[in-house]
Amino acid sequence: MTNDLDLIPKDTMSDHEIDAHALHAAAKYKQFPDLAGKVAFITGAGSGIGRAMADAFAANGAHLALLDINAEALEHARAELHRTFPEVEIECHVASIADDIAVEAAVATAHARFGRIDVLLNNAGISANKPSLELPAEQWRRAIDINLNGVFYCAQSVARRMLTQGSGVILNTASMYGTVAAPERAAYCASKAAVVMLTKVLAIEWAAKGLRVNALAPGYVRTALVEELVRTGRMDLDALTRRTPARRLGEPHEIATLALFLASEHADFINGQAIVADGGWSSYSYV
């Protein structure tokens, strides 16, 4: 849903309008006071669900380390977050999570600045849709490199710091297609299913040392990418809506709110789980 305040160019907003915009942004998210002052490292933070996560954690008073491969989108996110939440400290890193050296450098820099990392929102990923017999090896490798290897590199690097401090929460973004299959998505489904199992392995390895590792498994969410696919005719919104028992797509802020809960003290006994948020899609099998 678009609010009138979202249509005001932020560079021209008055102090009063900025305050109102901040209140509007914060009002979308349930408040979790225990997240205030925490440090959240968010990948894929320039757009979509990652961007909504940045809003959600900033609205709850967390400081942010943002990573994205898109420098322009990342800078836009940083500038808007700074205007809306001026009390929140923000640093940005332009990098691909498939580059383990770049990931380690970004995490080390964030840790040196903030002194700790409390939450990793391991969100960056790509789609990969093509008939399996036509799927080039390069596209397969790219999906695995980003959706699986990159998630592991980020989790490993951040966990080294979290284990030293004796606490931390890692939330890996999987997909409902990591729990159910779909045609022409071999690389995507395989990589996201691997993220679900990776989450379980890391959770049981690190639970006794104070870490929690869970996965978010969203269904179809109304991001800018999905809206562009609908606009260009590459995705049938009506068909998706009819297939979803909730009769609608999810919204980025709904996934971000789930992340807030899982990162909070209210979820302290939830570990090694993949939480599906898909409007009932993966439960529906009636024809």
Side-chain angles (χ1 to χ4, degrees):
M1 181 180 294
T2 300
N3 183 279
D4 291 342
L5 290 168
D6 295 324
L7 305 178
I8 302 173
K10 305 304 182 293
D11 289 335
T12 63
M13 290 171 65
S14 68
D15 289 343
H16 175 74
E17 288 167 333
I18 291 173
D19 289 342
H21 186 75
L23 288 171
H24 168 64
K28 287 194 297 187
Y29 299 105
K30 181 176 176 62
Q31 296 300 294
F32 293 89
D34 62 298
L35 296 177
K38 297 290 182 70
V39 177
F41 193 106
I42 308 174
T43 71
S47 61
I49 293 172
R51 178 67 175 82
M53 288 174 170
D55 277 337
F57 279 78
N60 277 271
H63 303 300
L64 307 176
L66 309 179
L67 184 147
D68 202 288
I69 199 170
N70 186 325
E72 183 178 356
L74 193 59
E75 172 55 25
H76 179 76
R78 185 208 63 77
E80 191 170 75
L81 284 161
H82 178 69
R83 294 187 191 98
T84 307
F85 306 104
E87 72 286 356
V88 170
E89 294 185 42
I90 304 168
E91 71 165 33
C92 295
H93 303 273
V94 178
S96 169
I97 64 168
D99 182 342
D100 59 315
I101 295 174
V103 165
E104 174 61 24
V107 171
T109 300
H111 189 265
R113 173 174 178 174
F114 294 110
R116 61 186 299 111
I117 298 174
D118 299 290
V119 182
L120 168 62
L121 297 159
N122 214 350
N123 172 74
I126 61 169
S127 182
N129 298 5
K130 190 174 283 291
S132 297
L133 292 179
E134 301 172 13
L135 181 65
E138 177 55 34
Q139 289 188 23
W140 171 271
R141 284 192 292 268
R142 183 167 183 262
I144 299 299
D145 278 346
I146 295 173
N147 291 352
L148 176 59
N149 295 346
V151 167
F152 175 72
Y153 299 150
C154 292
Q156 183 186 58
S157 182
V158 171
R160 288 191 179 111
R161 280 81 180 175
M162 289 180 170
L163 289 168
T164 298
Q165 68 197 31
S167 64
V169 175
I170 295 174
L171 299 178
N172 299 322
T173 299
S175 168
M176 70 176 183
Y177 284 143
T179 65
V180 295
E184 301 186 358
R185 290 171 175 81
Y188 186 76
C189 289
S191 60
K192 292 299 188 178
V195 168
V196 171
M197 185 52 66
L198 174 65
T199 297
K200 294 176 180 294
V201 171
L202 300 183
I204 61 174
E205 278 193 38
W206 298 335
K209 299 175 182 178
L211 273 61
R212 292 193 292 107
V213 187
N214 289 297
L216 305 170
Y220 285 100
V221 176
R222 193 185 296 275
T223 63
L225 173 60
V226 167
E227 290 183 340
E228 176 63 13
L229 292 173
V230 170
R231 188 188 67 80
T232 57
R234 295 163 61 193
M235 183 176 285
D236 187 335
L237 179 60
D238 290 338
L240 291 179
T241 302
R242 289 195 303 271
R243 172 62 178 77
T244 305
R247 295 295 186 266
R248 66 177 180 87
L249 272 58
E251 299 293 340
H253 73 84
E254 293 176 307
I255 308 304
T257 299
L258 176 59
L260 286 173
F261 167 72
L262 289 173
S264 77
E265 60 188 10
H266 299 287
D268 274 352
F269 204 56
I270 300 175
N271 210 351
Q273 304 303 308
I275 311 299
V276 179
D278 64 359
W281 176 291
S282 58
S283 296
Y284 183 75
S285 60
Y286 180 75
V287 177

